[in-house]
């Protein structure tokens, strides 16, 4: 990796976030990871302001994790997805869990997967229940682990019309 670009000024966090988002949208994942990291762990901390106290912090954390995932740095990505999963009431928890399941499944680490599931469920789901993409990821995981009953229980929760519905039907057959 290159070094983190130095940005100075009052709006440093937002500038890092702006440049990171632009780089990510243009598939410049190494550059975006540097800018997102600069937002999360600024090289020159803003006096009196912690990056984690900002409303946009979960967005920057997810951006960094996604950038690292795209760079195939799965260990680094997992570190930041775990931080998201440990932050209750942020809009990226479900996406973080899905990615952590994907990473742990790739590594065939069922203990990690179970730890992620336990953490997720201990914090509760949203008022709408478990999102379809989480149900699909869990169902697929249980299917790959030859836990057919648990797999079917999760896959039937994916509603008709959802982007994961057809895949859930194929896996659950």
């Amino acid at each position: 990796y290159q070094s983190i670009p130095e940005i100075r000024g009052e709006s440093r966090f937002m500038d890092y976030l702006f440049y990171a988002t632009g780089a990510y949208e243009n598939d410049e994942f190494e550059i975006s990871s540097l800018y997102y990291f600069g937002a999360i762990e600024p090289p020159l901390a803003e006096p009196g302001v912690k990056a984690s106290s900002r409303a946009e912090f979960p967005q920057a954390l997810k951006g960094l994790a996604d950038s690292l995932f795209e760079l195939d740095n799965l260990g680094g990505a997992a570190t930041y997805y775990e931080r998201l999963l440990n932050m209750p009431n942020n809009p990226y928890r479900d996406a973080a869990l899905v990615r952590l399941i994907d990473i742990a499944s790739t590594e065939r680490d069922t203990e990690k997967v179970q730890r992620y599931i336990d953490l997720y469920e201990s914090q509760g789901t949203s008022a709408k229940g478990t999102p379809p993409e989480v149900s699909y990821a869990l169902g697929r995981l249980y299917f790959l682990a030859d836990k057919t009953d648990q797999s079917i229980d999760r896959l039937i929760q994916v509603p008709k019309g959802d982007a994961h519905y057809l895949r859930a039907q194929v896996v659950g057959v």
Side-chain angles (χ1 to χ4, degrees):
Y1 294 108
Q2 305 165 11
S3 62
I4 300 169
E6 186 177 316
I7 297 177
R8 295 179 182 269
E10 293 295 315
S11 63
R12 186 177 324 177
F13 179 88
M14 294 307 291
D15 288 344
Y16 274 117
L17 191 57
F18 174 77
Y19 290 122
T21 303
Y24 186 87
E25 289 173 354
N26 287 304
D27 296 337
E28 297 285 343
F29 303 118
E30 187 171 331
I31 294 169
S32 68
S33 69
L34 293 171
Y35 279 115
Y36 281 125
F37 188 79
I40 293 167
E41 307 287 348
L44 299 169
E46 294 177 59
V49 179
K50 292 181 85 173
S52 60
S53 67
R54 295 185 174 274
E56 300 87 357
F57 184 75
Q59 177 188 354
L61 202 55
K62 181 176 184 304
L64 176 57
D66 286 345
S67 295
L68 293 171
F69 185 85
E70 293 294 337
L71 290 169
D72 209 28
N73 182 343
L74 302 182
T79 299
Y80 294 102
Y81 286 128
E82 283 185 46
R83 282 179 67 181
L84 276 170
L85 193 60
N86 281 306
M87 292 173 62
N89 303 320
N90 84 73
Y92 306 107
R93 275 186 72 240
D94 298 333
L97 176 66
V98 170
R99 282 290 171 97
L100 284 167
I101 288 171
D102 287 345
I103 291 168
S105 296
T106 300
E107 298 170 347
R108 302 253 187 248
D109 191 338
T110 53
E111 287 179 21
K112 255 189 203 175
V113 171
Q114 193 57 54
R115 185 170 49 97
Y116 297 145
I117 293 168
D118 292 345
L119 175 62
Y120 179 81
E121 290 178 346
S122 73
Q123 294 177 355
T125 57
S126 68
K128 298 176 187 174
T130 304
E133 61 272 14
V134 172
S135 294
Y136 173 74
L138 292 171
R140 188 187 66 159
L141 171 73
Y142 290 135
F143 177 80
L144 293 173
D146 288 329
K147 296 180 178 180
T148 308
D149 291 341
Q150 289 173 295
S151 174
I152 290 172
D153 288 345
R154 291 297 184 156
L155 292 172
I156 61 173
Q157 294 176 19
V158 178
K160 207 175 221 177
D162 182 78
H164 298 91
Y165 178 75
L166 288 177
R167 285 183 274 171
Q169 295 303 301
V170 170
V171 172
V173 169

